[in-house]
Every structure is written in structure tokens, then in C-alpha cells.
Amino acid sequence: MDFSLTEDQQMIRDAAREFAQNEIAPVAAEFDRSGEFPVDTIKAAAELGFMGIEIPEEYGGSGLDPVSYALVMAEISAADAAHGTIVSVNNSLFGVPLLEFGTEEQKQKYLVPVASGKVNGAYALTEPQSGSDAGSMRAKAVLSEDGSYYTINGKKSWITSGPVAKYVVFFAQTVGADGESAGISAFVVDAEAKGYLRGKLEPKLGIRASATCEIELENYRCPVEDRIGDEGQGFKIAMIVLDAGRVGVAAQSLGIAQAAYEASLEYSRERKAFGAAIGSFQSIQNKLADMRMRIEASRLLVMQAAWSKAECKKTGQKNTLNSSMAKLFASETAMWVSHQAVQIHGGMGYSKELPLERYFRDAKITEIYEGTSEIQRMVIGRLETGLR
Ligand code: CAA
């Protein structure tokens, strides 16, 4: 079995590392403090093609493979997880539904500007009363009598990049031409159009530079051409998109864990206590050994999920199992490793002078968004048993 990266994959990883360490890492603490959206570094990421890594060049992206996407996500997130979140939303949560289910016209109009990073995209599934139980959303899209537009009403919460997004993939329960419920459908909505309202900003524990807010549609008039896929296909689209997105979150988690581990390794060699480097103590070596081992296990699951994402695309199979396993294991590893890293650094781990406390705060979201750890276990358990 060959685990090595291709030359192209190594090149893109090295380019992402150089960019992330030189451009993002130096400003990460300041953006974490201010909670401002990092406009300039995201623009620079777009210039390198990182806002549409797997999107074909004809639609504004870089046309690379899922392994390259995972490598870039890990490198950017090792420098700053908030940048990783912004990159992942454009790439997967907005890019995948348009690429996989959009019409040619939708791709030209919406995917090209988002994948090229000219504007930001977002994905609106969660509502104040429905997070894990996504299917119970209340937002409603009612088809007009002449069948030419939908009137959409409803509130969405926790929308990553919501405050800065120009286009949003929005899910709603649909009332079709016959006045009957037609299930959930997906739409592209324009944040500058009438009836689109940005709501309250979410103050967050971590990934503070990624902007998050509520959004509300009030009698938003959505032309029927802006529905993505068929009427009633929305829930499946949402799930297929999350299967792709969770690989990105898994890679983000890997990046956070790697950064926390590398800082711990260096500190354990330099910091002295009782006349010796703390890294010579068995209690610290045990922690470092477990951190390294769990990170490598995460890396294998992340790379497997990215590789199988490409294979599934060829065969038409679902990547759900590998995607959920990678997201679950890597996110819990990021949380555990960053916790150990704070402990190894002692008081300095708790201080804002070093990035350890930021890694610890940022890691937490990876166990929550794009499906909590509990939901990933449910997905894996259902697939394994065939029971519900
Ligand atoms: N791919 C394709 N279809 C799928 C699918 C998948 N991965 N998972 C389910 N489906 C299909 C099923 O086959 C089923 O189809 P039929 O009706 O034809 O049989 C249909 O969808 C309904 O499936 P379930 O009965 O399994 O649905 P459920 O209501 O039990 O929910 C769930 C399943 C896995 C719990 C789902 O609700 C879920 O993933 N919840 C978590 C939601 C989530 O991740 N939210 C995060 C939002 S994004 C975010 O975090 C914001 C951000 O900006 C970063």
C-alpha cells in the first residue's frame, strides 16, 4: 500500500504551508482578539486558488483533487482555524451543491465568483429550533401560482460567513404548485436582494475571525431558476454536501492538532524544571507519545476519507462512513491534543501570549459544527447496523 503524496500534492501542501505560516500565522492572534473578518488574507488565499480548490477551472476554481483540498485545509488551519473555516465554507458548503446539482447558468452566475474568491458564499441549514435534527426546519418556500418564483420566509442561525456572504445556499420546506408539501428544497439567495436580512452576530468561544450570524428571509422572492436541484431534493443535497464538508472539517482538526503538538514538542525540549528539560520526564513523554499517535491515526482517516471521496465520485457511491469517521476521530483528537498541549505549557498554555489557548478554544467547534460527535456516532452506528 502506497501512502505517499504525488508530486503535485506535495507542491500544493508546501505552497499552502508557506502561505499560511508567512501570511496567516503572524496575524492570527490579532484577528482572534478583534473578531474581525480577515479580508486581506482571505483575498490572498483566493489569489492562490484556495477558495475553490476542487472546483474545475472553468467554474473559477483550481481543479485539484480532494486530497489536495484536505492538505490545504490542514495547513491553513494549523496557522489559524478561523481562516480554515472561511476557506471550507466557500469550498465545500457553497461549492459542492452548486457544482454537483447546479445548472450551467447557476454555476456561471454563482459558483464562478465564489470559487474564485471574489465574493463569499454561505450555507443556511440550521435554524434556532433545529440543529442536529436538520429535517425539522421550518423555513418555507411557496411556489407562485404561475410557477415562476418562490416566496421564502424563515430564520437561519449559526451561519458561517453570514455577515460577509454575497450568495447563500438556503434550505426550506417547499409548498409546490398543487399547494401540497413538496419536502425540503435548496435555493441560492442573494444577500443584496430585497427580503434578505442579516440578524444578530454570534459571539463565539473560538474561530472568532470567522464571521457568524443569523439570517432571515422575509417574503424573499426567489426565481424558480435559483432552485438547486429538484423540488424536494433539498435534504439529500444537504446531506451529500455535509459528507463532503466533513472531510474538510476533519482536515481542519488535523491542522489544529498538529500545530498544538509541534508547539508542545518544542516547548518540552526547551523548558527546564528540576534541572532538566521537561521533555525528559516520563509524564511529558507519555503525553507526547499519545498525541503523536492519535494525530497519525487522524491523518490516516482524513487521507482515507479524502481519497475515497474521489473514488466515490467516480463510482457514484456515498462517502458517508469514511467522512463521518474522519470527522469524528480527528475533531476529538484536536480537542484532546490541544487540551494536553495547554497542560504541557502550564501557565504559558493558559496565557494569550502563546497560541495554545486559541488552539484549545478553536478545536471545540470541530466537535460541533457540520454535525456533532453524537450525530457522527449515530450516522456510523446506523450504517454499521443497518438499524435506526
Ligand atoms: N447522502 C445522501 N442521502 C442521505 C444521506 C447522505 N449522507 N443521509 C441521509 N440521506 C437520505 C436518506 O437516504 C433518506 O432518504 P429517503 O427518504 O429517500 O429514504 C433521507 O435522506 C432522510 O434520511 P434520514 O431518515 O436518515 O434523516 P434523519 O432525519 O434521521 O437525519 C441526520 C439524519 C444524519 C441526523 C441528519 O439530520 C444530520 O446530518 N444532522 C446533522 C446536521 C448538521 O450536520 N448540521 C450542521 C449544519 S452546517 C454547519 O455546521 C454550519 C456551518 O456553517 C459550518
Side-chain angles (χ1 to χ4, degrees):
M1 194 178 268
D2 185 359
F3 288 100
S4 52
L5 300 174
T6 65
E7 255 180 53
D8 284 352
Q9 289 164 346
Q10 287 176 43
M11 263 167 58
I12 191 82
R13 180 203 57 197
D14 294 348
R17 183 174 299 169
E18 199 184 323
F19 164 68
Q21 290 304 320
N22 292 340
E23 310 285 327
I24 298 177
V27 298
E30 182 49 30
F31 279 103
D32 173 58
R33 195 195 57 73
S34 69
E36 275 173 35
F37 188 84
V39 175
D40 293 341
T41 35
I42 288 299
K43 194 164 165 246
E47 278 159 16
L48 290 168
F50 293 160
M51 300 311 269
I53 296 164
E54 289 178 58
I55 307 295
E57 289 175 31
E58 63 200 286
Y59 300 127
S62 300
L64 299 174
D65 68 312
V67 169
S68 300
Y69 172 53
L71 293 168
V72 173
M73 272 298 294
E75 291 300 335
I76 289 182
S77 304
D80 180 36
H83 279 75
T85 300
I86 300 162
V87 168
S88 92
V89 171
N90 266 36
N91 273 276
S92 42
L93 294 187
F94 189 90
V96 172
L98 269 298
L99 182 66
E100 299 296 331
F101 301 95
T103 61
E104 183 59 29
E105 197 191 341
Q106 288 171 344
K107 286 177 188 164
Q108 294 299 341
K109 192 168 169 192
Y110 302 121
L111 186 54
V112 169
V114 172
S116 59
K118 288 194 177 61
V119 300
N120 291 289
Y123 173 90
L125 181 71
T126 302
E127 297 186 357
Q129 82 299 332
S130 67
S132 291
D133 183 9
S136 71
M137 69 180 66
R138 291 185 193 153
K140 202 180 226 184
V142 181
L143 189 64
S144 62
E145 274 181 19
D146 66 1
S148 66
Y149 65 91
Y150 292 89
T151 303
I152 311 181
N153 281 285
K155 189 188 264 192
K156 299 283 178 182
S157 51
W158 289 105
I159 306 309
T160 304
S161 294
V164 293
K166 161 83 170 135
Y167 300 122
V168 180
V169 173
F170 192 98
F171 296 88
Q173 304 282 358
T174 318
V175 177
D178 53 6
E180 298 289 317
S181 165
I184 293 169
S185 304
F187 305 90
V188 191
V189 301
D190 183 335
E192 282 161 29
K194 200 166 156 240
Y196 183 104
L197 308 167
R198 287 195 177 97
K200 78 171 170 75
L201 291 173
E202 302 289 359
K204 306 193 296 289
L205 174 72
I207 53 159
R208 288 175 33 75
S210 84
T212 314
C213 71
E214 288 188 338
I215 60 174
E216 186 161 6
L217 297 189
E218 251 182 34
N219 293 326
Y220 181 98
R221 199 174 159 135
C222 180
V224 79
E225 303 79 57
D226 288 346
R227 190 189 66 227
I228 307 171
D230 296 334
E231 228 177 34
Q233 202 189 1
F235 191 76
K236 284 193 186 167
I237 294 176
M239 293 299 113
I240 290 166
V241 170
L242 286 170
D243 282 350
R246 287 167 184 164
V247 181
V249 176
Q252 176 182 41
S253 310
L254 177 64
I256 300 170
Q258 183 74 33
Y261 174 70
E262 282 172 13
S264 303
L265 197 57
E266 198 182 322
Y267 190 75
S268 72
R269 289 186 182 124
E270 283 166 7
R271 173 74 179 178
K272 301 257 182 341
F274 308 106
I278 62 168
S280 67
F281 302 146
Q282 199 171 30
S283 60
I284 300 294
Q285 288 191 355
N286 285 350
K287 283 190 200 302
L288 292 169
D290 287 345
M291 290 159 88
R292 176 70 202 265
M293 178 181 65
R294 292 193 195 197
I295 290 170
E296 289 314 314
S298 289
R299 195 185 315 281
L300 290 173
L301 280 173
V302 171
M303 288 301 137
Q304 172 179 265
W307 171 82
S308 62
K309 188 174 159 193
E311 293 303 300
C312 286
K313 214 170 170 179
K314 289 182 213 154
T315 61
Q317 283 175 306
K318 286 184 191 163
N319 197 32
T320 313
L321 182 64
N322 282 345
S323 160
S324 280
M325 290 196 303
K327 200 268 189 187
L328 175 60
F329 193 84
S331 61
E332 293 192 344
T333 296
M335 194 68 247
W336 188 83
V337 166
S338 58
H339 180 203
Q340 298 304 315
V342 169
Q343 192 66 17
I344 289 172
H345 283 77
M348 286 313 292
Y350 203 64
S351 165
K352 285 197 179 285
E353 278 181 36
L354 292 183
L356 283 305
E357 60 83 36
R358 174 164 58 85
Y359 300 151
F360 179 67
R361 287 185 287 109
D362 288 349
K364 186 63 208 166
I365 192 60
T366 64
E367 293 183 320
I368 297 174
Y369 66 10
E370 298 204 31
T372 61
S373 293
E374 289 74 13
I375 288 296
Q376 306 312 327
R377 287 192 166 83
M378 181 172 141
V379 169
I380 297 164
R382 281 181 177 181
L383 285 171
E384 286 296 284
T385 60
L387 302 170
R388 328 173 19 98

